[in-house]
């Protein structure tokens, strides 16, 4: 007997981030790989990590202010077009990618970069496309106007 209320569990973006970080660390330790950044250059990765964190904080604050849920599976209550959403339609996903880019640069080898690229592809195909379809259906002309003015990623 299945006692789970939601048998179809969905992995949310932070779950994919945790999986990606774990894989990056494991590959870094277990498979040294191709070194692409020398020691001093690796510290530049901290800039990407900080930018990713700040972008996620700003996006989450905007969602809180607009009283719309953060979960990609919840019904959106408002279309945010101001703040960080005025220069990227997906600041939270961009922030997560920047976190992984920073981690990859800090690690300094190719395999974590590949994992970062795969993470970005998963976010794009699994969440961004779905959310944009949902927003287009819900906000119609307002969404299309916003889409024309604001880039999807950068």
């Amino acid at each position: 007997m299945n006692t789970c209320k939601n048998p179809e569990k969905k992995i949310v973006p932070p779950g994919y981030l945790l999986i990606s970080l774990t894989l990056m660390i494991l590959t870094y330790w277990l498979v040294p790989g191709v070194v692409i950044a020398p020691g001093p250059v690796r510290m530049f990765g901290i800039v990407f990590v900080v930018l990713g964190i700040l972008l996620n904080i700003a996006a989450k604050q905007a969602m809180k202010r607009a009283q719309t849920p953060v979960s990609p599976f919840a019904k959106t209550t408002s279309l945010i077009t101001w703040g960080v959403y005025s220069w990227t339609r997906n600041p939270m996903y961009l922030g997560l990618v920047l976190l992984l880019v920073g981690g990859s640069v800090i690690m300094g080898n190719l395999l974590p970069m590949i994992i970062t690229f795969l993470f970005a592809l998963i976010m794009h195909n699994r969440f961004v496309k779905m959310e944009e379809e949902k927003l287009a259906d819900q906000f119609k002309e307002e969404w299309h106007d916003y889409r024309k003015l604001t880039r999807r990623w950068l």
Side-chain angles (χ1 to χ4, degrees), residues 25-153:
I25 291 167
L26 286 173
T27 59
Y28 176 73
W29 283 340
L30 300 174
V31 185
V34 178
V35 175
I36 58 172
V41 174
R42 291 182 188 182
M43 291 304 104
F44 188 63
I46 294 170
V47 173
F48 290 104
V49 171
V50 170
L51 286 174
I53 290 169
L54 293 175
L55 195 52
N56 271 284
I57 290 169
K60 191 169 182 179
Q61 286 176 338
M63 291 183 128
K64 185 176 180 180
R65 186 171 151 205
Q67 298 180 341
T68 194
V70 174
S71 172
F73 303 111
K75 181 173 172 39
T76 304
T77 57
S78 64
L79 181 65
I80 305 169
T81 60
W82 42 268
V84 292
Y85 287 91
S86 67
W87 54 273
T88 176
R89 296 194 312 251
N90 297 288
M92 293 186 112
Y93 298 128
L94 179 58
L96 296 178
V97 170
L98 287 173
L99 282 168
L100 292 178
V101 167
S104 297
V105 171
I106 291 167
M107 291 176 195
N109 73 42
L110 186 60
L111 288 175
M113 283 290 187
I114 293 169
I115 293 167
T116 299
F117 177 75
L118 293 173
F119 174 84
L121 280 177
I122 291 169
M123 291 301 102
H124 181 78
N125 291 314
R126 175 76 175 100
F127 297 102
V128 171
K129 287 181 177 181
M130 176 265 301
E131 286 183 31
E132 289 190 349
E133 288 175 13
K134 183 173 73 167
L135 292 170
D137 288 343
Q138 187 174 349
F139 295 103
K140 313 258 187 268
E141 195 62 37
E142 186 182 1
W143 162 256
H144 291 289
D145 292 343
Y146 172 61
R147 190 174 144 243
K148 287 178 190 173
L149 295 173
T150 310
R151 291 177 175 230
R152 180 179 276 160
W153 287 96

